[in-house]
Structures are given as structure tokens and as C-alpha cells.
Amino acid sequence: MPKSKRNRPVTLSKTKKKPGLERKGKVVTEIKQAVEQYSSAYVFTYDNMRNQKLKDLREQLKSSSRIFLAGKKVMQIALGRSPADEAKTGLHKLSKFLQGDSGLLITNLPRDDVERLFREFEEHDFARTGTTATETVELKEGPLEQFTHEMEPFLRKQGLSVRLNRGVVELVADHVVCEEGKPLSPEAAQTLRLLGIQMATFRLYLVCRWSCDDFEVYKEGLTHLGAHDSS
């Protein structure tokens, strides 16, 4: 008789764990280890996150600090959500501030150095679609000599009324690329990039700080965190 396909034995040792669970478990372990290794921890929030800029910052601080941007619940579990399950005394106070666009810095750097680093950190970049324009940009009718003739079809796709005049790209009517205070369309974001205009600034703000004998909340960072939550 043919063997039944329904009643096949399953070897439990071959059952694979879900990659997501393994990754979360690894992050929890790494945060717990960092808390043991370093003297203080901060929750921070940010504007206009840029992964490469954050990677550069991680590299800059790797001898003294660890930066974590993981799921909020994962980071809360690692720190503890109450005095009963916190990794160190008072550490659970950080957990309620891990919301919205936030991350963890666990470090041996002196408080003054951390505050100065966050105060001075500022990286400019091109704005993405949906970013609020920081200024109004308008192109006036006439030649756009910064663009080669090969770009004329592409510029037309971005909504610019252009033509070639003796091999020179020419704008046939004034064109408003973006207006201050309004979100950027995909075409506006692309045009600003072509024009070399950077409207996004990647900034970091401290929300709160923990050490074994101290806990502090930073008003400016808390304001930014609240703004992200309401948006």
C-alpha cells in the first residue's frame, strides 16, 4: 500500500525559529549587555532620519557608546517597563519615552559631551516626497543653463514647461517648484535635487537621561517627541 502523506512524523529539532523573533531576541540581549557595560542611557528623537548619517555617527561613537533603533516594545522589554522587571534600578523610567520616532543611546561619555554632541549634530540632505518645504522656490522664465539638452524630456516630466532653443534648455513660463510650509510632491523633490537645493536637516534631540543615581527629562526633546506623535 502507498504510504499516507498525512501522518508523517515531524522532527522538532528541525523546526526553525522565525527570523524576526531571533532578531528581536538578539536586540534585547544586546541592550541588556550594553546597560551592564556602560554608565548611562538616553532616549532621543530625530528629524529627517538618514541611515547613512546614523551609520557614520555609530562608527564615530563605537568606542564609547551603542545606538539602538529597534521596535519600541523590544527596547522597552530590554530596559524593563516597571521596577519589577527593569534591568537596573530606575531604568524602566526610560521606557515610557520610547514612542514615535525615538531611539536609545547607551554610553560611557560624560553628560556634557553627550549634550554637546546632540546640540551640535546637524546633517543637511535633499528633502524627500512629503517633507514640508522650508522655503518657496521659483524658477523664472528663460534659459536653464545648468541643465544639458539631454535633460529636457526629464524636466518636462517633472512638470516644467521647457523647450530647446539652439541646444539650450529654456523655461517658457515662470514655474513654482514648491511653496514654503507645504509638502513636497515627488516632482518637486526631484527638481530640488536637480537644482542642488537641500531642504532636509537630520537632527537629534535628547528626550531623557538615566544613570544609576539620576534621571532627567529634556524639555526640547520632549516637545519634538510629542510633535512626532501628533503628526
mmCIF file of all heavy atoms in Angstrom, residues 24 75 155:
data_model
loop_
_atom_site.group_PDB
_atom_site.id
_atom_site.type_symbol
_atom_site.label_atom_id
_atom_site.label_comp_id
_atom_site.label_asym_id
_atom_site.label_seq_id
_atom_site.Cartn_x
_atom_site.Cartn_y
_atom_site.Cartn_z
ATOM 1 N N LYS A 24 14.714 39.963 17.245
ATOM 2 C CA LYS A 24 14.251 40.720 18.413
ATOM 3 C C LYS A 24 14.934 40.245 19.684
ATOM 4 O O LYS A 24 15.328 41.052 20.531
ATOM 5 C CB LYS A 24 12.734 40.591 18.545
ATOM 6 C CG LYS A 24 11.959 41.322 17.457
ATOM 7 C CD LYS A 24 10.468 41.067 17.559
ATOM 8 C CE LYS A 24 9.700 41.760 16.441
ATOM 9 N NZ LYS A 24 8.255 41.459 16.497
ATOM 10 N N MET A 75 12.697 47.417 22.727
ATOM 11 C CA MET A 75 13.590 48.201 23.588
ATOM 12 C C MET A 75 13.017 48.328 24.993
ATOM 13 O O MET A 75 13.757 48.293 25.983
ATOM 14 C CB MET A 75 13.834 49.587 22.959
ATOM 15 C CG MET A 75 14.618 49.529 21.651
ATOM 16 S SD MET A 75 15.182 51.150 21.033
ATOM 17 C CE MET A 75 13.629 51.859 20.463
ATOM 18 N N LEU A 155 13.015 66.959 -17.536
ATOM 19 C CA LEU A 155 12.489 68.157 -16.883
ATOM 20 C C LEU A 155 11.008 68.345 -17.214
ATOM 21 O O LEU A 155 10.220 68.758 -16.362
ATOM 22 C CB LEU A 155 13.288 69.389 -17.320
ATOM 23 C CG LEU A 155 14.739 69.447 -16.834
ATOM 24 C CD1 LEU A 155 15.481 70.575 -17.532
ATOM 25 C CD2 LEU A 155 14.800 69.635 -15.325
#
